[in-house]
Amino acid sequence: MRFIAPALVLLVAAFLLPLLYVVYLSFGGSSPSLEKYAAIATEPLYRQVLLNSVYISVVSTGLTLLLGYPIAYHLEAQPPRRRTVLMILVLMPFWTSILVKSFAFTVILGKSGIINSFLQWATGMEGHLPMLFNRFGVVVGMTHFLLPFMVFTVLASLLTQGPELRRAANVMGATRLTIFWRIIFPLSLPGVMAGILICMIMSMAMFITPALLGGRGDLMISNLVEFHVRDTLDWEMASALAVCLLAITGVFCIGIARVRGGQLFGEEG
Amino acid sequence: MAEMVRLDGITKAYGETVALHPTDLSIREGEFVTLLGPSGSGKTTLLNLIAGSTAPSAGEIWLKGRDVTQVPANRRELGMVFQNYALFPHMTVAQNVAFPLTLRRRPRAEIRREVMRALELVHLPHVAKRKPRELSGGQQQRIAIARSLVYNPSLILMDEPLGALDRKLREALQFEIKKLHEELRMTVLYVTHDQEEALTMSNRICLMNEGRMEQVAPPQEMYFRPATEFAAGFLGVSNIIRVAVEGRGAIRVGERFALSGVPGLTAAPGEVVPVMIRPEAIRLAAGSAAENVLEAEVEDVVFLGGVTNLVVRTGQGERFTVRQLTRRSDAGWQGGMPVSLSFDASDVVPLNGAAPQ
Amino acid sequence: MARQTTIEERVPSAATRLIAWLGYAFLLMPSLVVLPMSFGTGTEFDFPPKSFSLDLYREYFSEPSWVASTLTSLQVAAASAALSLLIGGLAAYGIVRYQFRGKKLLTIFLLSPMLVPTIVVALALYLYLGIARATGTTWGLILCHAVVCVPYVIVTMMAGLRQVDRNLEIAATIMGASWFGVLTRVTIPLLRPTILASGLFAFLISFDEVVISFFVSGVRTQTLPVKMYSTIHWEISPVLAAVSSLLTILSLGICILVAALQKER
């Protein structure tokens, strides 16, 4: 207990209390009211932003799964040495600053960016594909950000399977396709579910990517929080939005705990 | 000789479950005592209590005439050898063995001398500069033993130290530990679930079952005069049957077989008591002509090399295992053969406390 | 003749391999674009650059606002990594080595900053520091970053501590080592790679942290990521390529260092 005390003090003082203060403000602070929540529920702006967030998150998470599962599967099939080397390809972007990535995507996707320049040169046509400051840009940036998380989660569940079941199925005459669809994939489903939920939590709360790669119409909840803090100075509204985001996260966390058999982090013993 | 360890009603309970019922035990200086029992019998709990890594629920632990019940593990002056060796991977062999001496702030020259002496005792002075992971399992355990005795602790605890080694190595190390014990007059409390190990190494065996001490006795006595059905069944092969008591020291085993002068039989006439007869104490003859024998039929013959085990069944349906030295001439035992059994009253061991301890 | 493929060979199908390699390429793309671009010249975005120079790096190192924000980031990251390593390490030790009531709930609480959206933490700390009049102070920023780093330190240190054989600590205790002796002579030496790795991770998390810093840092305590954020947002200057390359190399260096540490373990 005494070992935990310093961490506990820090997190109560600089995490729990601030969060409680946000909740307090969201209900109107010293003059309690549900005004802000009512506005979120009724005003079209908020409904639009919520829809944006859900749309972008679902599409990005889906793309992440489609790309991440084959990567995880490919990594798992490698001999350990090669896997370690290939893992660096996934770890590198994981540890790269999101600003570096966002900057790179503005250069890659922009009006006179790498892709458009190449297309102009190759086709000889004027004009460009709009890929930046719109939903496409946000989804690309988001997918890139989420991909390592999906790969790690799915890879972990593939690695715990072990070769015995596959060998047994193989001996019993199952083809590779049958083995994948009847054994490997169903057994990896908890990992896939956890990966989807983790990606949803992160994408719903994404701030930098929509701010830098999206356009006016691609605001997400986080951007709205910042808008109210910086531009309208409506802290109560910002707090109410933050509490909504927290609630959404909470629901997904319950989902994660479910698929992990009661463990949220898999570490709490 | 002086008393090294005394346990007074030591008890350990986790909530409702009792891991160790109140237990008394006394170990003399220089004695080699083995805690023997199946897993979950409480032997590891008892060892941890003495080591100080768990606190007892009740009772007292005395070491060398000092009550150490409340003394933390690091001030009990004990040595311990673990099944997984527990050598520090970040230290060399010499640093490992020197560790307890550096803790005691011994002069450097003395440490070097004592470390070499300990390594020589386990015949491994040449690996001093290596790291533990470069050594084989057997070598690592010998280093662990050297480390446990280098500072002359009053008692060395050994927790299944040979459990991770293969049979041949185990036997070699049993011999070495035994020799070290005799040369250095160390006091050892040894935990194992291997009955042969307990029989070969110990001065006394303390047989444990379901959190209780079933019997404490020297190996010979433990084997020949087990006190309970559990003790009889756990050590070696035994035939346990129920017999009617007919008089003082007299029992009836079958219609035509009665014995008198059974030692240690205290039950009153008319009672039915369990007794044990070892398979090698039973005489076997073909046919059923003789007087005062138990008639039976051979059910199964198991050839084990030097000895042959026969499973026979009496008319009353009791099964006996009989062990015979294999001779080429009598290789003719076959299933279904009628045989007659007999044994001496002195080989009959009354169980469940019927014998005075 | 049909070739027997055993499942042990585990060669993924061509389609899987194709998607996987496309995925690797996608993952690496930003770094691969940024590095060559950083050696370009002057004011235009050219890829690949027409001529190579160190102009952009020179610009980065001679512009006081870039240097100042870099120094702030280094300072904050070093301090918050040290702080979170100390208190996170202690917490992990307490969680792994001791049993107490409400342990599971407490662990979830200590790790929860990992799951709470950064924007929510950022807003909360912004309002909170406003009350405490600590907005824009360096120590405020360090504390905020420590909140985010501590859970990561706890998780890595817990995993590392679970790898340390409990019997080694018991053995040292029985040989006479005190609690402190066991910690300094056995546990910490065995944990050295884990301690270094979690310290490096904490440093990198703090160094790259942008959302919270964006809310709570002031003009004089602007961190490098905040400076980058506003530069990308408002003007997109080519010097960003040089900054990004340096950050990429920092991440790569720390990754390789951690991988090497794991091998040592």
Side-chain angles (χ1 to χ4, degrees):
Chain A
M1 225 10 234
R2 62 201 151 132
F3 296 110
I4 297 172
L8 203 58
V9 168
L10 175 78
L11 289 193
V12 168
F15 177 68
L16 186 63
L17 286 179
L19 281 187
L20 290 177
Y21 183 63
V22 166
V23 176
Y24 166 77
L25 266 191
S26 76
F27 288 104
S30 49
S31 51
S33 81
L34 287 172
E35 191 193 326
K36 303 298 175 186
Y37 290 101
I40 292 174
T42 53
E43 282 177 30
L45 167 71
Y46 298 110
R47 197 164 324 137
Q48 187 54 48
V49 167
L50 186 67
L51 279 178
N52 284 350
S53 302
V54 172
Y55 178 91
I56 294 172
S57 301
V58 169
V59 172
S60 310
T61 302
L63 282 175
T64 305
L65 180 62
L66 288 180
L67 208 50
Y69 199 104
I71 295 181
Y73 188 78
H74 185 255
L75 280 173
E76 193 249 353
Q78 305 303 318
R81 275 190 89 91
R82 234 173 103 86
R83 189 190 302 142
T84 317
V85 176
L86 285 175
M87 272 298 272
I88 293 178
L89 301 187
V90 186
L91 275 168
M92 248 295 278
F94 177 76
W95 285 111
T96 302
S97 160
I98 188 161
L99 293 165
V100 173
K101 300 182 200 180
S102 303
F103 167 69
F105 279 118
T106 59
V107 174
I108 295 167
L109 304 174
K111 204 170 175 180
S112 50
I114 295 170
I115 294 181
N116 274 320
S117 310
F118 175 77
L119 287 178
Q120 279 160 10
W121 172 83
T123 62
M125 284 191 287
E126 288 297 308
H128 66 272
L129 289 177
M131 291 182 290
L132 191 61
F133 307 130
N134 60 18
R135 199 147 291 193
F136 181 83
V138 181
V139 168
V140 169
M142 193 92 96
T143 306
H144 192 273
F145 176 79
L146 297 176
L147 200 47
F149 295 93
M150 183 66 88
V151 172
F152 295 149
T153 322
V154 174
L155 179 63
S157 86
L158 285 175
L159 284 173
T160 53
Q161 285 182 20
E164 291 82 9
L165 282 178
R166 297 166 194 182
R167 240 176 256 163
N170 198 35
V171 168
M172 287 183 266
T175 63
R176 290 157 56 107
L177 216 59
T178 322
I179 291 175
F180 179 78
W181 286 112
R182 298 284 297 277
I183 294 168
I184 300 179
F185 186 69
L187 282 174
S188 70
L189 272 181
V192 169
M193 277 311 294
I196 289 175
L197 290 166
I198 289 170
C199 287
M200 282 303 288
I201 287 181
M202 284 187 301
S203 52
M204 283 298 286
M206 203 68 158
F207 173 74
I208 298 290
T209 309
L212 292 180
L213 302 181
R216 275 250 153 255
D218 308 305
L219 283 183
M220 293 177 71
I221 304 174
S222 302
N223 308 108
L224 216 51
V225 172
E226 191 239 358
F227 171 74
H228 281 301
V229 172
R230 297 253 156 166
D231 294 355
T232 68
L233 302 180
D234 187 349
W235 292 350
E236 292 174 8
M237 194 58 186
S239 299
L241 285 166
V243 171
C244 291
L245 196 53
L246 206 54
I248 295 171
T249 309
V251 172
F252 284 126
C253 284
I254 293 171
I256 293 182
R258 279 257 167 106
V259 294
R260 284 189 179 160
Q263 298 248 312
L264 193 49
F265 300 95
E267 282 287 346
E268 58 260 38
Chain B
M1 234 177 278
E3 184 180 56
M4 188 58 87
V5 182
R6 198 174 85 232
L7 305 180
D8 268 344
I10 201 84
T11 310
K12 181 69 188 177
Y14 297 96
E16 292 288 286
T17 46
V18 182
L20 187 69
H21 292 277
T23 298
D24 303 320
L25 179 69
S26 166
I27 299 174
R28 289 183 309 275
E29 196 177 340
E31 208 179 4
F32 195 118
V33 174
T34 299
L35 298 176
L36 175 68
S39 54
S41 59
K43 54 190 197 302
T44 303
T45 306
L46 184 53
L47 193 81
N48 287 338
L49 287 167
I50 297 173
S53 37
T54 37
S57 311
E60 284 172 6
I61 301 166
W62 292 71
L63 281 174
K64 248 184 169 172
R66 178 169 75 121
D67 180 359
V68 297
T69 319
Q70 304 300 330
V71 174
N74 57 337
R75 305 236 182 81
R76 290 195 184 183
E77 286 297 312
L78 298 171
M80 185 152 173
V81 179
F82 296 79
Q83 179 170 8
N84 69 351
Y85 324 131
L87 293 174
F88 304 122
H90 59 297
M91 299 181 194
T92 63
V93 165
Q95 284 167 336
N96 262 284
V97 179
F99 185 80
L101 300 175
T102 54
L103 282 176
R104 285 163 181 74
R105 301 186 191 288
R106 300 278 178 80
R108 197 173 293 173
E110 184 192 329
I111 291 180
R112 198 171 307 140
R113 203 173 55 238
E114 289 295 312
V115 167
M116 278 324 279
R117 197 179 66 93
L119 287 177
E120 268 155 23
L121 278 173
V122 296
H123 314 297
L124 285 173
H126 53 285
V127 301
K129 293 212 169 62
R130 287 200 226 158
K131 285 279 175 78
R133 74 170 77 91
E134 297 165 40
L135 305 181
S136 70
Q139 288 176 320
Q140 289 190 50
Q141 196 56 295
R142 276 146 74 188
I143 299 301
I145 291 167
R147 188 179 66 173
S148 76
L149 52 79
V150 70
Y151 54 111
N152 298 314
S154 43
L155 170 71
I156 296 181
L157 307 168
M158 298 195 179
D159 189 5
E160 307 232 9
L162 309 181
L165 304 175
D166 63 44
R167 195 185 168 80
K168 251 203 145 112
L169 211 54
R170 209 159 62 213
E171 279 167 9
L173 268 166
Q174 281 174 9
F175 176 73
E176 262 190 63
I177 293 174
K178 189 84 202 126
K179 224 176 85 195
L180 281 173
H181 166 248
E182 275 158 18
E183 279 171 17
L184 304 174
R185 313 293 318 147
M186 339 183 268
T187 315
V188 179
L189 183 61
Y190 191 97
V191 166
T192 183
H193 62 264
D194 180 339
Q195 42 157 318
E196 276 180 35
E197 203 163 285
L199 289 171
T200 38
M201 300 182 76
S202 327
N203 297 129
R204 269 194 306 158
I205 296 173
C206 167
L207 184 66
M208 306 216 37
N209 182 35
E210 289 179 348
R212 284 176 217 279
M213 277 192 189
E214 198 82 15
Q215 188 176 1
V216 185
Q220 295 264 331
E221 187 184 329
M222 189 67 96
Y223 185 78
F224 287 112
R225 310 296 305 171
T228 63
E229 281 193 58
F230 176 80
F234 194 81
L235 270 97
V237 186
S238 55
N239 295 296
I240 297 169
I241 54 168
R242 263 144 238 287
V243 296
V245 179
E246 291 201 313
R248 217 180 141 66
I251 55 168
R252 172 158 294 280
V253 184
E255 269 172 46
R256 287 177 54 202
F257 189 49
L259 291 171
S260 55
V262 174
L265 184 68
T266 51
E271 280 187 56
V272 175
V273 295
V275 299
M276 181 207 76
I277 305 105
R278 291 282 179 204
E280 58 269 27
I282 300 177
R283 286 186 300 273
L284 195 64
S288 56
E291 281 295 303
N292 202 22
V293 291
L294 205 51
E295 290 171 328
E297 195 181 283
V298 176
E299 251 190 15
D300 201 4
V301 184
V302 185
F303 170 63
L304 294 172
V307 295
T308 302
N309 277 358
L310 289 96
V311 181
V312 302
R313 196 182 154 97
T314 65
Q316 289 89 345
E318 302 238 46
R319 266 203 191 77
F320 284 85
T321 301
V322 182
R323 176 170 292 182
Q324 299 230 306
L325 287 178
T326 309
R327 271 180 229 104
R328 208 187 296 215
S329 56
D330 61 17
W333 297 114
Q334 270 167 16
M337 256 176 132
V339 288
S340 48
L341 312 180
S342 62
F343 39 83
D344 297 336
S346 57
D347 287 325
V348 174
V349 183
L351 298 175
N352 286 346
Q357 291 214 2
Chain C
M1 196 175 72
R3 188 175 160 271
Q4 283 281 325
T5 42
T6 62
I7 200 74
E8 277 97 319
E9 288 175 26
R10 298 287 327 279
V11 183
S13 66
T16 313
R17 270 180 300 171
L18 181 71
I19 301 176
W21 280 105
L22 282 176
Y24 296 133
F26 177 55
L27 282 169
L28 275 194
M29 191 163 59
S31 317
L32 292 182
V33 165
V34 159
L35 279 171
M37 238 174 60
S38 68
F39 296 106
T41 47
T43 51
E44 284 296 303
F45 285 108
D46 284 322
F47 187 88
K50 293 189 182 67
S51 59
F52 289 87
S53 78
L54 291 173
D55 287 359
L56 296 176
Y57 290 94
R58 225 167 273 136
E59 196 182 327
Y60 164 72
F61 282 111
S62 56
E63 167 67 44
S65 65
W66 281 114
V67 175
S69 59
T70 308
L71 289 178
T72 306
S73 276
L74 284 173
Q75 195 187 341
V76 169
S80 53
L83 181 63
S84 42
L85 194 57
L86 183 68
I87 63 180
L90 284 174
Y93 186 80
I95 292 168
V96 175
R97 287 290 183 256
Y98 293 89
Q99 293 303 325
F100 50 88
R101 226 136 46 124
K103 180 165 133 171
K104 188 174 172 182
L105 217 63
L106 209 60
T107 312
I108 290 179
F109 172 65
L110 291 180
L111 299 185
S112 62
M114 287 204 288
L115 286 176
V116 172
T118 329
I119 186 80
V120 178
V121 182
L123 171 71
L125 289 170
Y126 170 72
L127 298 174
Y128 198 66
L129 289 188
I131 299 173
R133 302 194 179 283
T135 320
T137 60
T138 309
W139 66 266
L141 202 54
I142 292 170
L143 275 185
C144 294
H145 281 194
V147 169
V148 186
C149 295
V150 158
Y152 288 92
V153 172
I154 293 180
V155 166
T156 21
M157 294 283 273
M158 274 170 75
L161 266 168
R162 293 214 170 105
Q163 300 264 316
V164 173
D165 181 4
R166 194 83 178 82
N167 277 347
L168 294 177
E169 293 175 339
I170 295 177
T173 308
I174 288 176
M175 285 186 271
S178 63
W179 165 82
F180 188 72
V182 174
L183 193 67
T184 51
R185 283 158 167 267
V186 179
T187 314
I188 289 179
L190 288 173
L191 273 179
R192 205 181 55 101
T194 311
I195 292 171
L196 279 171
S198 14
L200 286 172
F201 282 156
F203 179 88
L204 202 53
I205 289 169
S206 165
F207 195 82
D208 281 345
E209 207 293 319
V210 56
V211 180
I212 294 173
S213 315
F214 178 59
F215 274 75
V216 304
S217 69
V219 188
R220 271 173 299 125
T221 55
Q222 194 180 45
T223 64
L224 185 62
V226 175
K227 165 91 175 147
M228 284 179 78
Y229 177 80
S230 43
T231 310
I232 300 173
H233 206 71
W234 301 114
E235 44 180 343
I236 304 206
S237 132
V239 78
L240 281 165
V243 184
S244 297
S245 299
L246 291 174
L247 280 182
T248 307
I249 289 163
L250 177 75
S251 314
L252 184 66
I254 290 188
C255 274
I256 291 172
L257 216 61
V258 170
L261 283 171
Q262 254 152 11
K263 201 165 260 176
E264 186 187 324
R265 201 164 75 184

